[in-house]
PDB file of all heavy atoms in Angstrom:
ATOM      1  N   THR A  10      -2.290  -1.921  -8.075  1.00 94.00           N
ATOM      2  CA  THR A  10      -1.846  -3.343  -8.063  1.00 94.00           C
ATOM      3  C   THR A  10      -0.462  -3.557  -8.717  1.00 94.00           C
ATOM      4  O   THR A  10       0.204  -4.526  -8.377  1.00 94.00           O
ATOM      5  CB  THR A  10      -2.876  -4.317  -8.729  1.00 94.00           C
ATOM      6  OG1 THR A  10      -3.130  -3.816 -10.054  1.00 94.00           O
ATOM      7  CG2 THR A  10      -4.160  -4.320  -7.899  1.00 94.00           C
ATOM      8  N   ASN A  11      -0.091  -2.723  -9.644  1.00 93.00           N
ATOM      9  CA  ASN A  11       1.216  -2.916 -10.326  1.00 93.00           C
ATOM     10  C   ASN A  11       2.355  -2.141  -9.607  1.00 93.00           C
ATOM     11  O   ASN A  11       3.516  -2.233 -10.042  1.00 93.00           O
ATOM     12  CB  ASN A  11       1.115  -2.471 -11.781  1.00 93.00           C
ATOM     13  CG  ASN A  11       0.845  -0.992 -11.940  1.00 93.00           C
ATOM     14  OD1 ASN A  11       0.143  -0.383 -11.107  1.00 93.00           O
ATOM     15  ND2 ASN A  11       1.396  -0.425 -12.967  1.00 93.00           N
ATOM     16  N   THR A  12       2.039  -1.446  -8.492  1.00 92.00           N
ATOM     17  CA  THR A  12       3.110  -0.748  -7.808  1.00 92.00           C
ATOM     18  C   THR A  12       3.361  -1.313  -6.404  1.00 92.00           C
ATOM     19  O   THR A  12       4.083  -0.722  -5.613  1.00 92.00           O
ATOM     20  CB  THR A  12       2.751   0.793  -7.691  1.00 92.00           C
ATOM     21  OG1 THR A  12       1.509   0.914  -7.008  1.00 92.00           O
ATOM     22  CG2 THR A  12       2.731   1.418  -9.042  1.00 92.00           C
ATOM     23  N   ILE A  13       2.767  -2.477  -6.144  1.00 95.00           N
ATOM     24  CA  ILE A  13       2.988  -3.108  -4.825  1.00 95.00           C
ATOM     25  C   ILE A  13       4.420  -3.602  -4.791  1.00 95.00           C
ATOM     26  O   ILE A  13       4.954  -4.180  -5.688  1.00 95.00           O
ATOM     27  CB  ILE A  13       2.027  -4.311  -4.649  1.00 95.00           C
ATOM     28  CG1 ILE A  13       0.577  -3.825  -4.576  1.00 95.00           C
ATOM     29  CG2 ILE A  13       2.390  -5.158  -3.437  1.00 95.00           C
ATOM     30  CD1 ILE A  13      -0.477  -4.877  -4.606  1.00 95.00           C
ATOM     31  N   ASN A  14       5.064  -3.331  -3.651  1.00 95.00           N
ATOM     32  CA  ASN A  14       6.411  -3.742  -3.409  1.00 95.00           C
ATOM     33  C   ASN A  14       6.484  -4.589  -2.148  1.00 95.00           C
ATOM     34  O   ASN A  14       6.164  -4.155  -1.067  1.00 95.00           O
ATOM     35  CB  ASN A  14       7.326  -2.498  -3.208  1.00 95.00           C
ATOM     36  CG  ASN A  14       8.771  -2.831  -3.187  1.00 95.00           C
ATOM     37  OD1 ASN A  14       9.160  -3.972  -2.979  1.00 95.00           O
ATOM     38  ND2 ASN A  14       9.600  -1.825  -3.377  1.00 95.00           N
ATOM     39  N   ARG A  15       6.830  -5.867  -2.317  1.00 95.00           N
ATOM     40  CA  ARG A  15       6.852  -6.844  -1.203  1.00 95.00           C
ATOM     41  C   ARG A  15       8.232  -7.277  -0.871  1.00 95.00           C
ATOM     42  O   ARG A  15       9.038  -7.525  -1.764  1.00 95.00           O
ATOM     43  CB  ARG A  15       6.044  -8.053  -1.569  1.00 95.00           C
ATOM     44  CG  ARG A  15       4.568  -7.938  -1.277  1.00 95.00           C
ATOM     45  CD  ARG A  15       3.887  -9.277  -1.380  1.00 95.00           C
ATOM     46  NE  ARG A  15       3.848  -9.819  -0.020  1.00 95.00           N
ATOM     47  CZ  ARG A  15       2.749 -10.293   0.469  1.00 95.00           C
ATOM     48  NH1 ARG A  15       1.630 -10.354  -0.241  1.00 95.00           N
ATOM     49  NH2 ARG A  15       2.718 -10.774   1.690  1.00 95.00           N
ATOM     50  N   GLN A  16       8.452  -7.433   0.409  1.00 94.00           N
ATOM     51  CA  GLN A  16       9.715  -8.007   0.959  1.00 94.00           C
ATOM     52  C   GLN A  16       9.303  -8.934   2.082  1.00 94.00           C
ATOM     53  O   GLN A  16       9.153  -8.459   3.254  1.00 94.00           O
ATOM     54  CB  GLN A  16      10.642  -6.865   1.431  1.00 94.00           C
ATOM     55  CG  GLN A  16      11.992  -7.343   1.939  1.00 94.00           C
ATOM     56  CD  GLN A  16      12.967  -7.567   0.800  1.00 94.00           C
ATOM     57  OE1 GLN A  16      12.762  -7.016  -0.299  1.00 94.00           O
ATOM     58  NE2 GLN A  16      13.874  -8.425   1.047  1.00 94.00           N
ATOM     59  N   GLY A  17       9.022 -10.194   1.759  1.00 94.00           N
ATOM     60  CA  GLY A  17       8.485 -11.095   2.777  1.00 94.00           C
ATOM     61  C   GLY A  17       7.069 -10.672   3.173  1.00 94.00           C
ATOM     62  O   GLY A  17       6.181 -10.428   2.330  1.00 94.00           O
ATOM     63  N   ALA A  18       6.883 -10.456   4.515  1.00 96.00           N
ATOM     64  CA  ALA A  18       5.593 -10.011   4.972  1.00 96.00           C
ATOM     65  C   ALA A  18       5.409  -8.497   4.879  1.00 96.00           C
ATOM     66  O   ALA A  18       4.307  -7.998   4.981  1.00 96.00           O
ATOM     67  CB  ALA A  18       5.410 -10.437   6.461  1.00 96.00           C
ATOM     68  N   ARG A  19       6.463  -7.778   4.618  1.00 96.00           N
ATOM     69  CA  ARG A  19       6.451  -6.301   4.529  1.00 96.00           C
ATOM     70  C   ARG A  19       5.988  -5.907   3.085  1.00 96.00           C
ATOM     71  O   ARG A  19       6.376  -6.561   2.128  1.00 96.00           O
ATOM     72  CB  ARG A  19       7.783  -5.752   4.800  1.00 96.00           C
ATOM     73  CG  ARG A  19       8.439  -6.243   6.100  1.00 96.00           C
ATOM     74  CD  ARG A  19       8.306  -5.302   7.163  1.00 96.00           C
ATOM     75  NE  ARG A  19       8.972  -5.780   8.352  1.00 96.00           N
ATOM     76  CZ  ARG A  19       8.469  -5.620   9.586  1.00 96.00           C
ATOM     77  NH1 ARG A  19       7.339  -5.030   9.722  1.00 96.00           N
ATOM     78  NH2 ARG A  19       9.158  -6.093  10.607  1.00 96.00           N
ATOM     79  N   ILE A  20       5.207  -4.804   3.069  1.00 97.00           N
ATOM     80  CA  ILE A  20       4.626  -4.418   1.804  1.00 97.00           C
ATOM     81  C   ILE A  20       4.496  -2.886   1.759  1.00 97.00           C
ATOM     82  O   ILE A  20       4.245  -2.270   2.789  1.00 97.00           O
ATOM     83  CB  ILE A  20       3.270  -5.081   1.618  1.00 97.00           C
ATOM     84  CG1 ILE A  20       2.658  -4.846   0.230  1.00 97.00           C
ATOM     85  CG2 ILE A  20       2.272  -4.673   2.693  1.00 97.00           C
ATOM     86  CD1 ILE A  20       1.398  -5.650  -0.045  1.00 97.00           C
ATOM     87  N   THR A  21       4.715  -2.281   0.643  1.00 96.00           N
ATOM     88  CA  THR A  21       4.361  -0.873   0.421  1.00 96.00           C
ATOM     89  C   THR A  21       3.430  -0.854  -0.790  1.00 96.00           C
ATOM     90  O   THR A  21       3.603  -1.606  -1.776  1.00 96.00           O
ATOM     91  CB  THR A  21       5.600   0.004   0.186  1.00 96.00           C
ATOM     92  OG1 THR A  21       6.312  -0.428  -0.959  1.00 96.00           O
ATOM     93  CG2 THR A  21       6.515   0.086   1.354  1.00 96.00           C
ATOM     94  N   PHE A  22       2.434   0.040  -0.708  1.00 96.00           N
ATOM     95  CA  PHE A  22       1.447   0.075  -1.812  1.00 96.00           C
ATOM     96  C   PHE A  22       0.716   1.422  -1.852  1.00 96.00           C
ATOM     97  O   PHE A  22       0.591   2.096  -0.846  1.00 96.00           O
ATOM     98  CB  PHE A  22       0.466  -1.112  -1.654  1.00 96.00           C
ATOM     99  CG  PHE A  22      -0.297  -1.127  -0.371  1.00 96.00           C
ATOM    100  CD1 PHE A  22      -1.597  -0.609  -0.288  1.00 96.00           C
ATOM    101  CD2 PHE A  22       0.244  -1.639   0.790  1.00 96.00           C
ATOM    102  CE1 PHE A  22      -2.332  -0.638   0.904  1.00 96.00           C
ATOM    103  CE2 PHE A  22      -0.449  -1.696   1.983  1.00 96.00           C
ATOM    104  CZ  PHE A  22      -1.752  -1.198   2.016  1.00 96.00           C
ATOM    105  N   ASP A  23       0.288   1.751  -3.061  1.00 95.00           N
ATOM    106  CA  ASP A  23      -0.458   2.963  -3.318  1.00 95.00           C
ATOM    107  C   ASP A  23      -1.952   2.763  -3.098  1.00 95.00           C
ATOM    108  O   ASP A  23      -2.465   1.692  -3.463  1.00 95.00           O
ATOM    109  CB  ASP A  23      -0.296   3.386  -4.773  1.00 95.00           C
ATOM    110  CG  ASP A  23       1.116   3.758  -5.126  1.00 95.00           C
ATOM    111  OD1 ASP A  23       1.665   4.654  -4.435  1.00 95.00           O
ATOM    112  OD2 ASP A  23       1.674   3.216  -6.067  1.00 95.00           O
ATOM    113  N   VAL A  24      -2.636   3.774  -2.534  1.00 96.00           N
ATOM    114  CA  VAL A  24      -4.079   3.692  -2.318  1.00 96.00           C
ATOM    115  C   VAL A  24      -4.691   5.024  -2.800  1.00 96.00           C
ATOM    116  O   VAL A  24      -4.119   6.072  -2.590  1.00 96.00           O
ATOM    117  CB  VAL A  24      -4.388   3.498  -0.833  1.00 96.00           C
ATOM    118  CG1 VAL A  24      -5.870   3.655  -0.561  1.00 96.00           C
ATOM    119  CG2 VAL A  24      -3.943   2.131  -0.366  1.00 96.00           C
ATOM    120  N   ARG A  25      -5.809   4.880  -3.496  1.00 94.00           N
ATOM    121  CA  ARG A  25      -6.652   6.009  -3.854  1.00 94.00           C
ATOM    122  C   ARG A  25      -7.967   5.855  -3.113  1.00 94.00           C
ATOM    123  O   ARG A  25      -8.623   4.881  -3.255  1.00 94.00           O
ATOM    124  CB  ARG A  25      -6.897   6.084  -5.351  1.00 94.00           C
ATOM    125  CG  ARG A  25      -7.509   7.453  -5.749  1.00 94.00           C
ATOM    126  CD  ARG A  25      -8.116   7.395  -7.111  1.00 94.00           C
ATOM    127  NE  ARG A  25      -9.562   7.164  -6.843  1.00 94.00           N
ATOM    128  CZ  ARG A  25     -10.402   6.858  -7.815  1.00 94.00           C
ATOM    129  NH1 ARG A  25     -10.009   6.784  -9.021  1.00 94.00           N
ATOM    130  NH2 ARG A  25     -11.691   6.696  -7.483  1.00 94.00           N
ATOM    131  N   THR A  26      -8.277   6.833  -2.236  1.00 93.00           N
ATOM    132  CA  THR A  26      -9.499   6.687  -1.437  1.00 93.00           C
ATOM    133  C   THR A  26     -10.738   7.052  -2.272  1.00 93.00           C
ATOM    134  O   THR A  26     -10.583   7.563  -3.428  1.00 93.00           O
ATOM    135  CB  THR A  26      -9.462   7.632  -0.222  1.00 93.00           C
ATOM    136  OG1 THR A  26      -9.543   8.995  -0.664  1.00 93.00           O
ATOM    137  CG2 THR A  26      -8.147   7.443   0.641  1.00 93.00           C
ATOM    138  N   ASN A  27     -11.905   6.850  -1.726  1.00 89.00           N
ATOM    139  CA  ASN A  27     -13.089   7.178  -2.428  1.00 89.00           C
ATOM    140  C   ASN A  27     -13.254   8.662  -2.699  1.00 89.00           C
ATOM    141  O   ASN A  27     -14.014   9.113  -3.603  1.00 89.00           O
ATOM    142  CB  ASN A  27     -14.323   6.674  -1.689  1.00 89.00           C
ATOM    143  CG  ASN A  27     -14.534   7.399  -0.357  1.00 89.00           C
ATOM    144  OD1 ASN A  27     -13.596   7.551   0.422  1.00 89.00           O
ATOM    145  ND2 ASN A  27     -15.732   7.820  -0.095  1.00 89.00           N
ATOM    146  N   SER A  28     -12.527   9.478  -1.961  1.00 88.00           N
ATOM    147  CA  SER A  28     -12.555  10.952  -2.201  1.00 88.00           C
ATOM    148  C   SER A  28     -11.382  11.414  -3.039  1.00 88.00           C
ATOM    149  O   SER A  28     -11.031  12.606  -3.026  1.00 88.00           O
ATOM    150  CB  SER A  28     -12.614  11.690  -0.897  1.00 88.00           C
ATOM    151  OG  SER A  28     -11.523  11.359  -0.085  1.00 88.00           O
ATOM    152  N   LYS A  29     -10.744  10.489  -3.753  1.00 88.00           N
ATOM    153  CA  LYS A  29      -9.595  10.772  -4.647  1.00 88.00           C
ATOM    154  C   LYS A  29      -8.358  11.279  -3.913  1.00 88.00           C
ATOM    155  O   LYS A  29      -7.515  11.968  -4.493  1.00 88.00           O
ATOM    156  CB  LYS A  29     -10.046  11.726  -5.729  1.00 88.00           C
ATOM    157  CG  LYS A  29     -11.265  11.289  -6.501  1.00 88.00           C
ATOM    158  CD  LYS A  29     -11.100  11.090  -7.896  1.00 88.00           C
ATOM    159  CE  LYS A  29     -12.323  10.744  -8.693  1.00 88.00           C
ATOM    160  NZ  LYS A  29     -13.340   9.939  -8.129  1.00 88.00           N
ATOM    161  N   GLN A  30      -8.209  10.923  -2.656  1.00 92.00           N
ATOM    162  CA  GLN A  30      -7.019  11.219  -1.887  1.00 92.00           C
ATOM    163  C   GLN A  30      -6.030  10.110  -2.116  1.00 92.00           C
ATOM    164  O   GLN A  30      -6.429   8.937  -2.337  1.00 92.00           O
ATOM    165  CB  GLN A  30      -7.317  11.383  -0.408  1.00 92.00           C
ATOM    166  CG  GLN A  30      -8.172  12.562  -0.062  1.00 92.00           C
ATOM    167  CD  GLN A  30      -7.547  13.873  -0.498  1.00 92.00           C
ATOM    168  OE1 GLN A  30      -6.399  14.176  -0.105  1.00 92.00           O
ATOM    169  NE2 GLN A  30      -8.177  14.643  -1.335  1.00 92.00           N
ATOM    170  N   TYR A  31      -4.752  10.408  -2.096  1.00 93.00           N
ATOM    171  CA  TYR A  31      -3.684   9.377  -2.320  1.00 93.00           C
ATOM    172  C   TYR A  31      -2.975   9.143  -0.970  1.00 93.00           C
ATOM    173  O   TYR A  31      -2.699  10.059  -0.265  1.00 93.00           O
ATOM    174  CB  TYR A  31      -2.694   9.978  -3.328  1.00 93.00           C
ATOM    175  CG  TYR A  31      -1.401   9.165  -3.356  1.00 93.00           C
ATOM    176  CD1 TYR A  31      -1.360   7.928  -4.020  1.00 93.00           C
ATOM    177  CD2 TYR A  31      -0.286   9.623  -2.758  1.00 93.00           C
ATOM    178  CE1 TYR A  31      -0.208   7.158  -4.046  1.00 93.00           C
ATOM    179  CE2 TYR A  31       0.961   8.876  -2.748  1.00 93.00           C
ATOM    180  CZ  TYR A  31       0.917   7.667  -3.413  1.00 93.00           C
ATOM    181  OH  TYR A  31       2.082   6.922  -3.454  1.00 93.00           O
ATOM    182  N   VAL A  32      -2.716   7.859  -0.731  1.00 94.00           N
ATOM    183  CA  VAL A  32      -1.943   7.487   0.460  1.00 94.00           C
ATOM    184  C   VAL A  32      -0.938   6.372   0.031  1.00 94.00           C
ATOM    185  O   VAL A  32      -1.308   5.423  -0.640  1.00 94.00           O
ATOM    186  CB  VAL A  32      -2.806   6.924   1.636  1.00 94.00           C
ATOM    187  CG1 VAL A  32      -1.954   6.625   2.834  1.00 94.00           C
ATOM    188  CG2 VAL A  32      -3.879   7.865   1.962  1.00 94.00           C
ATOM    189  N   LEU A  33       0.330   6.515   0.416  1.00 95.00           N
ATOM    190  CA  LEU A  33       1.325   5.482   0.254  1.00 95.00           C
ATOM    191  C   LEU A  33       1.465   4.848   1.641  1.00 95.00           C
ATOM    192  O   LEU A  33       1.825   5.544   2.623  1.00 95.00           O
ATOM    193  CB  LEU A  33       2.669   6.043  -0.211  1.00 95.00           C
ATOM    194  CG  LEU A  33       3.823   5.087  -0.257  1.00 95.00           C
ATOM    195  CD1 LEU A  33       3.576   3.901  -1.196  1.00 95.00           C
ATOM    196  CD2 LEU A  33       5.145   5.767  -0.611  1.00 95.00           C
ATOM    197  N   TYR A  34       1.125   3.552   1.704  1.00 96.00           N
ATOM    198  CA  TYR A  34       1.221   2.799   2.939  1.00 96.00           C
ATOM    199  C   TYR A  34       2.390   1.852   2.933  1.00 96.00           C
ATOM    200  O   TYR A  34       2.737   1.324   1.908  1.00 96.00           O
ATOM    201  CB  TYR A  34      -0.027   1.976   3.175  1.00 96.00           C
ATOM    202  CG  TYR A  34      -1.268   2.719   3.601  1.00 96.00           C
ATOM    203  CD1 TYR A  34      -2.338   2.807   2.761  1.00 96.00           C
ATOM    204  CD2 TYR A  34      -1.392   3.260   4.895  1.00 96.00           C
ATOM    205  CE1 TYR A  34      -3.507   3.471   3.107  1.00 96.00           C
ATOM    206  CE2 TYR A  34      -2.532   3.918   5.291  1.00 96.00           C
ATOM    207  CZ  TYR A  34      -3.568   4.022   4.403  1.00 96.00           C
ATOM    208  OH  TYR A  34      -4.721   4.694   4.788  1.00 96.00           O
ATOM    209  N   SER A  35       2.921   1.647   4.097  1.00 96.00           N
ATOM    210  CA  SER A  35       3.840   0.553   4.398  1.00 96.00           C
ATOM    211  C   SER A  35       3.125  -0.299   5.428  1.00 96.00           C
ATOM    212  O   SER A  35       2.477   0.252   6.337  1.00 96.00           O
ATOM    213  CB  SER A  35       5.161   1.104   4.966  1.00 96.00           C
ATOM    214  OG  SER A  35       5.992  -0.006   5.353  1.00 96.00           O
ATOM    215  N   ALA A  36       3.218  -1.603   5.325  1.00 97.00           N
ATOM    216  CA  ALA A  36       2.454  -2.453   6.250  1.00 97.00           C
ATOM    217  C   ALA A  36       3.128  -3.802   6.402  1.00 97.00           C
ATOM    218  O   ALA A  36       4.072  -4.130   5.642  1.00 97.00           O
ATOM    219  CB  ALA A  36       1.034  -2.646   5.776  1.00 97.00           C
ATOM    220  N   ASN A  37       2.684  -4.561   7.373  1.00 97.00           N
ATOM    221  CA  ASN A  37       3.147  -5.933   7.569  1.00 97.00           C
ATOM    222  C   ASN A  37       1.933  -6.822   7.381  1.00 97.00           C
ATOM    223  O   ASN A  37       0.934  -6.691   8.146  1.00 97.00           O
ATOM    224  CB  ASN A  37       3.740  -6.092   8.947  1.00 97.00           C
ATOM    225  CG  ASN A  37       4.321  -7.500   9.197  1.00 97.00           C
ATOM    226  OD1 ASN A  37       3.660  -8.449   9.008  1.00 97.00           O
ATOM    227  ND2 ASN A  37       5.530  -7.466   9.627  1.00 97.00           N
ATOM    228  N   CYS A  38       2.001  -7.715   6.411  1.00 97.00           N
ATOM    229  CA  CYS A  38       0.838  -8.586   6.112  1.00 97.00           C
ATOM    230  C   CYS A  38       0.600  -9.631   7.197  1.00 97.00           C
ATOM    231  O   CYS A  38      -0.488 -10.206   7.219  1.00 97.00           O
ATOM    232  CB  CYS A  38       1.050  -9.265   4.775  1.00 97.00           C
ATOM    233  SG  CYS A  38       1.000  -8.110   3.372  1.00 97.00           S
ATOM    234  N   GLN A  39       1.567  -9.936   8.055  1.00 97.00           N
ATOM    235  CA  GLN A  39       1.359 -10.838   9.142  1.00 97.00           C
ATOM    236  C   GLN A  39       0.816 -10.193  10.379  1.00 97.00           C
ATOM    237  O   GLN A  39      -0.146 -10.686  10.979  1.00 97.00           O
ATOM    238  CB  GLN A  39       2.658 -11.581   9.480  1.00 97.00           C
ATOM    239  CG  GLN A  39       3.069 -12.579   8.375  1.00 97.00           C
ATOM    240  CD  GLN A  39       4.354 -13.296   8.705  1.00 97.00           C
ATOM    241  OE1 GLN A  39       5.208 -12.802   9.472  1.00 97.00           O
ATOM    242  NE2 GLN A  39       4.494 -14.461   8.147  1.00 97.00           N
ATOM    243  N   THR A  40       1.435  -9.093  10.802  1.00 97.00           N
ATOM    244  CA  THR A  40       0.984  -8.411  12.041  1.00 97.00           C
ATOM    245  C   THR A  40      -0.199  -7.517  11.813  1.00 97.00           C
ATOM    246  O   THR A  40      -0.794  -7.092  12.756  1.00 97.00           O
ATOM    247  CB  THR A  40       2.113  -7.602  12.672  1.00 97.00           C
ATOM    248  OG1 THR A  40       2.484  -6.516  11.767  1.00 97.00           O
ATOM    249  CG2 THR A  40       3.346  -8.455  12.981  1.00 97.00           C
TER     250      THR A  40
END
């Protein structure tokens, strides 16, 4: 939650899965 980077509807954020895998996502909160 402290590494979320927002630019309007665009966002990048860190995820740790239930199996302790790491994913850095980029996404659009509107689309």
